[in-house]
Amino acid sequence: MTMPAAHPSPPKYQSLAEHYRSAIQAGSLLPGQRMPSLRELVRQHAVSLSTAMHVCRLLESEGTLEARPRSGYFVRTPERSRLAPVNDPPMQRAPDPAQYVGIHTKVSEFLALGRMQRFKTNLSTARCAPELYPSQALNLAAQRSLRQDPEQLVRAAPPQGCLEFREVLAQRAMGAGMHLSANDIQVTNGCTEALNLVLRAVAQPGDTIAVESPTFYGLLQTLESLGLKALEIPTSPRTGISVDAVELALRNTQRIKAVVVIPYLQNPTGSIMPSSHKQALLRLCQQHDVALIEDDTYSALVDDSVLREEPLRAIKSWDDSGHVVYCASLHKSLAPGLRLGWVSAGRWQTRVEMLKFAASRSNERLAQRAAASFIASAAYDRYLRRLRSILATQRTQTAQAVASYFPPGTRLTVPRGGLSLWVELPHQLSATALFHAALAENMVIAPGTIFTNSNRFENHLRVNCGWPFTPEIDHAFARLGQMVGALAHATSGAKAGRLAAS
Amino acid sequence: MTMPAAHPSPPKYQSLAEHYRSAIQAGSLLPGQRMPSLRELVRQHAVSLSTAMHVCRLLESEGTLEARPRSGYFVRTPERSRLAPVNDPPMQRAPDPAQYVGIHTKVSEFLALGRMQRFKTNLSTARCAPELYPSQALNLAAQRSLRQDPEQLVRAAPPQGCLEFREVLAQRAMGAGMHLSANDIQVTNGCTEALNLVLRAVAQPGDTIAVESPTFYGLLQTLESLGLKALEIPTSPRTGISVDAVELALRNTQRIKAVVVIPYLQNPTGSIMPSSHKQALLRLCQQHDVALIEDDTYSALVDDSVLREEPLRAIKSWDDSGHVVYCASLHKSLAPGLRLGWVSAGRWQTRVEMLKFAASRSNERLAQRAAASFIASAAYDRYLRRLRSILATQRTQTAQAVASYFPPGTRLTVPRGGLSLWVELPHQLSATALFHAALAENMVIAPGTIFTNSNRFENHLRVNCGWPFTPEIDHAFARLGQMVGALAHATSGAKAGRLAAS
């Protein structure tokens, strides 16, 4: 910063504070991001420790930074973009007996509408932009594999999956506290096939499966297609499924054969189950002898700040009875174009292997080998750290946009990882109405209603934060905010009309 | 051929006959292969037409060639290797009510035993040797695709399948008389997934599906895993399923929802359904409003001699009511390492697409694009013609080996295409006993019992002809023949013992 010579220089701490104030206003430092430490300030700007402290206290006093105990200073979220968290459901409520009521048709209609044309802005998916995934490294690995084993496309692949891929998966599973061997793993066509096989292994048509509510629509579609009934269990956007409600359900409902949960970054809410909840849920499932199906699709996207508090720990890591079926996939965290999932099914492993063979035989080798080679390299963890940091930024930017543009009363909990936000509209406004209004302007969102068989979550929506927050996306949120405002206006107008008519 | 000058030269026709006699004895011209035409003999050997006729008549009179009306001369199968055709089942017999009786366990045991170690000789599969498939062309196509679309591994693929692949499939379908658009096609993970989806689309657990008997064990496994009952319909090793028996079944059995047939080169018998049978079967299914599931995995391997008599014609080509579900795969004819199948499901197409999405989402792009690019090239038909000609030779060599080494009473019908032979052992000898005896010497065969839920076909086996007929394979058949002889000896000894004791 150059200063006019005519004026006396402001004190060093003021010019340095102004430097950071501008950086924050320009978006170089985002709300929630960590301010350089005092030590870093001293080193980078060649100032004394007391000047550095002065800078931070000044920025704190004016509301630009906030101090967090034992963590340092962080950029404060501006008042205007502070949203109340999404409402918790009544967690002790008896489970909703809503079973299949045409979810597949409902979801299919939304999906079909969402695919009808190329959209300007698609906020409905749960995927990152292609450039965030390591396509070059995977391409090279695939080409290397084709050179090293030129007959792989014309030789039948092993039914359980390629050994080198299963070995890498088993090694990585150690990072979540699991002790698996390659033999405990069956490779599948994505987590979707894994869930299909597992549900068929543990249940018969007509049986009931307890699921989170809301849950991802793919699970509801799978349950319907298999003739299984979904029992929706209240789920907190912060701590996940209500273990008390699961207990109530297991006591009072016949033929529950499994509980399906996403402990890390639940889809759509982004909740993370505390360890104590995971262990309590496992004990429940063991006592009632039902399968606990753990979908671990998103744990690679959990923020590093969470991992510093407590390392990853799969429910399966505590399982001493074979009741936990662990499923995962690389679809979200590594490569949406590869259909790579896997399952370690505990006491149902042999049956799952038989069902996989009867359902689709082996997976192709090439994808497994390309993935195995990349995951085994040091580049994989570097890639994941970078992805998580980018996603953290994009989540913050998206949350800011919702806070800035959506009308008062909108609620939002920013998850501690992942690529989606779960937004609650004020005044019971309909996200389905918003979906249709957005569609008319070439934008797609995912309305809350597709994440349940019941009529809950009608005023919720899931938005994707996997794409760089461009001016176009900012504009889309501004437009969505206006649409929500118009819906609110129409609703209050209608209410006023009803009042006037009554 | 040089002749000693001291002797008078034999007539030209005799030396030319000797030339061909030697060629046939050396195996350069195989039993069943066509002798050069008279015109070709005239041109190649610069002889007169009457000499050429003389040669062929001489070779015919001594039993080396046989004349076929309007087709010319063919190398005759030597007497010692002439086997009676496999017995037809009683075609009017009421269908066997054998339903699921543990086929999956039975098959799994055989499969598990067959996978326990690397076998010296594996005659149990239905696949070609890797070197017969175009791995180099497919590798190049895959690498080209990776260069042209470097983001394909990290972008989600279209749920119905890649357009360019479906377009190529639709074009090829014209060759079997079908008029499909890319939109009528759903890409699947092999024909196995196609059959799973279709069966789930047309039937509910507890329903009955009419199948050929014998049929490939994969279908029986799939039916069991879906809770469906298999009704086995008598099937001729020459003309396929008995249409009369299907009619009887449709009249007398409740809840038949579909008939599954492999019209070309049925697995395991190799039968080919005559056009009149296909049309009659279609009319039946239309009248009774059941799905006719046509598995067309093998038609690319039908001998050119069959195609000269009548071009390929899928049952679906006559379907004007949407009752035919056409499934196929590239697993046998192009690349066992690619899991590429597809289905065109007529009136059930939308439901199949929904089930595919709920079961495993999309197929990966790379395999589809590599296959599409190769199939669209002129190299594809050249490759197929070469493959068919090699398979014809290997089938003949294998049939000869069975004829030479197996004891009298063994029966065999050589199919007009494909990569398997269906052998009937004499005197009701047990192919399961042969399976275990072979296993002890590191050889695997596919015993007839895995192709049925009933106790039929206990004295049949399927052997693979997809691998080059090496001295090792010749030796394996010699050894198998000795084992069958030993079984026959043990059986007649036991009978004699029983007679002596009575």
Side-chain angles (χ1 to χ4, degrees):
Chain A
M1 279 184 287
T2 52
M3 307 288 159
H7 297 277
S9 290
K12 184 74 182 168
Y13 80 92
Q14 282 199 357
S15 64
L16 200 52
E18 174 54 25
H19 170 70
Y20 280 99
R21 208 177 283 121
S22 310
I24 289 164
Q25 275 161 9
S28 313
L29 262 180
L30 286 166
Q33 283 192 332
R34 177 196 297 268
M35 178 74 180
S37 69
L38 295 177
R39 192 169 301 214
E40 286 164 341
L41 290 175
V42 166
R43 208 184 56 235
Q44 282 174 27
H45 302 282
V47 294
S48 69
L49 184 62
S50 91
T51 300
M53 287 174 67
H54 228 88
V55 168
C56 291
R57 284 193 189 137
L58 172 62
L59 291 171
E60 185 189 10
S61 69
E62 70 186 38
T64 305
L65 296 183
E66 62 187 0
R68 295 189 194 159
R70 290 192 309 281
S71 299
Y73 288 92
F74 289 77
V75 181
R76 197 168 172 204
T77 307
E79 283 307 322
R80 57 154 199 159
S81 66
R82 292 205 165 202
L83 292 186
V86 173
N87 283 309
D88 260 340
M91 300 294 273
Q92 300 290 337
R93 179 178 66 189
D96 187 340
Q99 290 157 0
Y100 166 59
V101 286
I103 181 73
H104 207 133
T105 313
K106 186 168 78 172
V107 170
S108 296
E109 277 171 18
F110 282 108
L111 291 178
L113 285 169
R115 279 192 200 127
M116 270 172 53
Q117 50 197 100
R118 284 222 159 265
F119 286 96
K120 219 167 50 186
T121 315
N122 190 341
L123 301 169
S124 73
T125 64
R127 274 199 292 278
C128 298
E131 62 267 28
L132 299 190
Y133 294 112
S135 58
Q136 204 186 354
L138 291 171
N139 277 6
L140 290 174
Q143 281 168 344
R144 201 163 48 235
S145 172
L146 283 170
R147 281 195 306 273
Q148 284 171 352
D149 179 6
E151 282 189 347
Q152 66 183 295
L153 303 183
V154 300
R155 277 185 189 275
Q160 214 186 325
C162 291
L163 184 61
E164 59 262 54
F165 183 50
R166 289 183 288 123
E167 281 174 349
V168 165
L169 296 175
Q171 278 164 23
R172 298 289 306 187
M174 289 174 64
M178 290 176 282
H179 297 279
L180 302 178
S181 79
N183 251 342
D184 300 322
I185 292 173
Q186 168 69 53
V187 177
T188 58
N189 289 296
C191 196
T192 299
E193 188 181 49
L195 286 170
N196 269 268
L197 298 173
V198 166
L199 289 166
R200 291 174 59 198
V202 306
Q204 297 294 319
D207 285 341
T208 294
I209 309 295
V211 302
E212 296 155 321
S213 184
T215 191
F216 68 108
Y217 60 81
L219 177 59
L220 296 173
Q221 288 178 302
T222 295
L223 290 173
E224 185 218 334
S225 75
L226 297 176
L228 297 170
K229 294 171 185 160
L231 182 68
E232 299 193 15
I233 307 285
T235 297
S236 156
R238 275 159 297 279
T239 57
I241 199 164
S242 161
V243 180
D244 291 341
V246 172
E247 182 164 20
L248 207 60
L250 288 173
R251 280 209 199 119
N252 299 319
T253 312
Q254 298 295 308
R255 295 181 66 180
I256 295 185
K257 293 300 168 64
V259 183
V260 186
V261 292
I262 305 179
Y264 284 107
L265 302 174
Q266 199 262 352
N267 183 357
T269 65
S271 65
I272 295 181
M273 283 178 78
S275 279
S276 59
H277 290 211
K278 293 190 232 180
Q279 289 171 277
L281 184 61
L282 172 58
R283 279 192 300 272
L284 258 186
C285 290
Q286 288 174 328
Q287 281 159 17
H288 290 265
D289 196 22
V290 305
L292 174 46
I293 301 175
E294 175 176 27
D295 176 350
D296 195 33
T297 295
Y298 298 94
S299 66
L301 306 182
V302 168
D303 272 356
D304 292 297
S305 67
V306 177
L307 304 183
R308 276 192 295 271
E309 291 165 18
E310 190 175 21
L312 285 184
R313 188 85 195 249
I315 306 181
K316 189 159 186 69
S317 70
W318 287 288
D319 180 25
D320 53 4
S321 62
H323 280 87
V324 178
V325 175
Y326 177 91
C327 307
S329 124
L330 299 176
H331 196 61
K332 306 288 185 182
S333 57
L334 181 67
L338 300 183
R339 294 301 304 153
L340 281 181
W342 68 96
V343 51
S344 185
R347 52 176 65 188
W348 297 277
Q349 182 68 13
T350 307
R351 180 146 175 79
V352 164
E353 286 173 15
M354 285 168 74
L355 287 172
K356 163 69 173 160
F357 189 73
S360 67
R361 298 286 190 273
S362 0
N363 274 52
E364 293 170 2
R365 279 195 184 84
L366 189 56
Q368 297 180 64
R369 285 173 166 174
S373 127
F374 182 66
I375 294 176
S377 74
Y380 182 56
D381 275 316
R382 280 201 305 274
Y383 149 74
L384 280 180
R385 276 195 298 272
R386 179 168 174 275
L387 178 65
R388 287 194 291 259
S389 140
I390 292 172
L391 286 179
T393 303
Q394 292 175 183
R395 272 198 315 278
T396 305
Q397 291 168 317
T398 308
Q400 287 247 68
V402 172
S404 308
Y405 300 126
F406 280 43
T410 300
R411 303 175 80 97
L412 171 67
T413 306
V414 183
R416 301 185 68 185
L419 34 72
S420 301
L421 290 186
W422 183 238
V423 181
E424 184 177 347
L425 298 180
H427 316 306
Q428 297 295 319
L429 292 178
S430 161
T432 302
L434 180 61
F435 171 86
H436 288 290
L439 211 59
E441 297 192 14
N442 282 329
M443 297 186 284
V444 203
I445 56 156
T449 183
I450 66 173
F451 300 99
T452 175
N453 283 339
S454 75
N455 54 3
R456 287 186 233 141
F457 312 113
E458 174 57 30
N459 64 324
H460 290 69
L461 60 150
R462 189 191 70 184
V463 291
N464 185 20
C465 324
W467 292 69
F469 194 83
T470 57
E472 286 74 27
I473 289 187
D474 186 63
H475 178 75
F477 276 102
R479 208 38 214 119
L480 285 172
Q482 289 167 358
M483 289 174 188
V484 177
L487 284 174
H489 191 71
T491 308
S492 62
K495 273 186 195 159
R498 279 198 301 278
L499 280 176
S502 65
Chain B
M1 282 183 285
T2 53
M3 308 288 158
H7 297 277
S9 290
K12 182 75 181 166
Y13 80 92
Q14 282 199 358
S15 64
L16 200 52
E18 174 53 24
H19 171 71
Y20 280 98
R21 208 177 282 121
S22 309
I24 289 164
Q25 275 160 12
S28 314
L29 262 180
L30 286 165
Q33 284 192 331
R34 178 196 296 268
M35 178 74 179
S37 68
L38 294 177
R39 193 168 299 215
E40 286 164 340
L41 290 176
V42 166
R43 208 183 57 238
Q44 282 174 27
H45 302 281
V47 295
S48 69
L49 184 62
S50 93
T51 300
M53 286 174 67
H54 227 88
V55 168
C56 291
R57 284 195 188 133
L58 172 62
L59 291 170
E60 184 189 10
S61 71
E62 68 187 38
T64 304
L65 296 183
E66 63 187 359
R68 294 190 195 158
R70 291 191 308 282
S71 300
Y73 287 92
F74 289 76
V75 181
R76 198 168 171 204
T77 308
E79 282 307 322
R80 55 152 202 161
S81 65
R82 291 207 162 199
L83 292 186
V86 173
N87 283 310
D88 260 340
M91 299 296 272
Q92 300 290 337
R93 179 178 66 188
D96 186 340
Q99 291 157 0
Y100 168 58
V101 287
I103 180 74
H104 206 134
T105 313
K106 185 167 78 172
V107 170
S108 296
E109 277 169 17
F110 281 108
L111 292 177
L113 284 169
R115 279 191 199 128
M116 270 170 54
Q117 51 197 101
R118 284 222 158 266
F119 286 96
K120 221 167 48 187
T121 314
N122 189 342
L123 301 170
S124 73
T125 65
R127 273 198 293 278
C128 298
E131 63 266 28
L132 299 190
Y133 294 112
S135 59
Q136 203 187 354
L138 290 171
N139 278 5
L140 289 174
Q143 282 168 344
R144 199 163 50 234
S145 173
L146 283 170
R147 282 195 305 274
Q148 284 171 354
D149 179 6
E151 283 189 345
Q152 66 182 296
L153 303 183
V154 300
R155 277 185 189 275
Q160 214 186 325
C162 291
L163 184 61
E164 61 262 54
F165 183 50
R166 289 181 289 124
E167 281 175 348
V168 164
L169 295 175
Q171 278 163 24
R172 297 291 306 189
M174 290 174 63
M178 290 177 281
H179 297 280
L180 301 178
S181 80
N183 252 341
D184 300 322
I185 291 173
Q186 168 70 54
V187 177
T188 58
N189 289 296
C191 196
T192 299
E193 187 180 48
L195 286 170
N196 270 268
L197 299 173
V198 166
L199 289 166
R200 291 175 57 197
V202 305
Q204 298 293 320
D207 286 341
T208 294
I209 308 296
V211 302
E212 297 155 321
S213 185
T215 190
F216 68 109
Y217 61 81
L219 177 59
L220 297 173
Q221 288 178 302
T222 296
L223 291 173
E224 185 217 334
S225 75
L226 297 175
L228 298 169
K229 294 171 186 161
L231 182 66
E232 300 192 15
I233 306 285
T235 297
S236 155
R238 274 160 297 279
T239 57
I241 200 164
S242 162
V243 181
D244 290 341
V246 173
E247 182 164 21
L248 206 60
L250 287 173
R251 282 210 199 117
N252 298 319
T253 312
Q254 300 294 309
R255 296 181 66 182
I256 294 184
K257 292 300 168 62
V259 183
V260 185
V261 291
I262 305 179
Y264 284 106
L265 300 173
Q266 199 262 353
N267 183 356
T269 65
S271 66
I272 296 181
M273 283 178 77
S275 279
S276 59
H277 290 211
K278 294 191 232 180
Q279 290 171 278
L281 183 61
L282 171 59
R283 280 193 300 272
L284 258 185
C285 289
Q286 288 174 328
Q287 282 159 17
H288 290 265
D289 196 23
V290 305
L292 173 47
I293 302 175
E294 175 175 28
D295 176 351
D296 195 33
T297 294
Y298 299 94
S299 66
L301 305 182
V302 169
D303 272 356
D304 292 298
S305 67
V306 177
L307 305 182
R308 276 193 293 271
E309 290 166 18
E310 191 176 19
L312 285 184
R313 189 84 195 251
I315 305 182
K316 190 161 186 67
S317 70
W318 287 288
D319 180 24
D320 52 6
S321 62
H323 281 87
V324 178
V325 175
Y326 177 91
C327 307
S329 124
L330 299 176
H331 196 61
K332 306 289 186 182
S333 56
L334 181 67
L338 300 183
R339 293 301 305 154
L340 283 181
W342 67 97
V343 51
S344 185
R347 52 175 67 187
W348 296 278
Q349 183 69 12
T350 307
R351 181 147 175 77
V352 164
E353 286 173 17
M354 285 168 72
L355 287 172
K356 163 69 174 160
F357 189 73
S360 66
R361 298 286 189 274
S362 1
N363 275 52
E364 293 170 3
R365 277 195 184 86
L366 188 56
Q368 297 180 63
R369 285 173 166 173
S373 127
F374 182 66
I375 294 176
S377 73
Y380 182 55
D381 276 317
R382 280 201 305 274
Y383 149 74
L384 281 180
R385 275 194 298 273
R386 180 168 173 274
L387 179 65
R388 287 194 292 259
S389 138
I390 292 172
L391 287 179
T393 303
Q394 293 175 183
R395 273 199 314 279
T396 305
Q397 292 168 318
T398 308
Q400 287 248 66
V402 172
S404 307
Y405 299 127
F406 280 42
T410 301
R411 304 174 80 99
L412 171 67
T413 307
V414 184
R416 300 184 69 185
L419 34 72
S420 302
L421 292 186
W422 183 237
V423 180
E424 185 178 347
L425 297 180
H427 316 306
Q428 298 296 319
L429 292 177
S430 160
T432 301
L434 180 62
F435 171 85
H436 288 290
L439 211 60
E441 298 193 14
N442 283 328
M443 298 186 284
V444 203
I445 57 156
T449 183
I450 67 174
F451 301 100
T452 176
N453 284 338
S454 75
N455 55 2
R456 287 186 233 141
F457 312 113
E458 175 56 31
N459 63 324
H460 290 68
L461 61 150
R462 189 190 70 184
V463 290
N464 185 21
C465 326
W467 292 69
F469 194 82
T470 57
E472 286 73 27
I473 290 188
D474 186 64
H475 177 75
F477 276 102
R479 207 41 213 117
L480 285 172
Q482 288 168 358
M483 290 174 187
V484 178
L487 284 174
H489 190 72
T491 309
S492 62
K495 272 186 195 156
R498 278 199 300 278
L499 279 176
S502 65

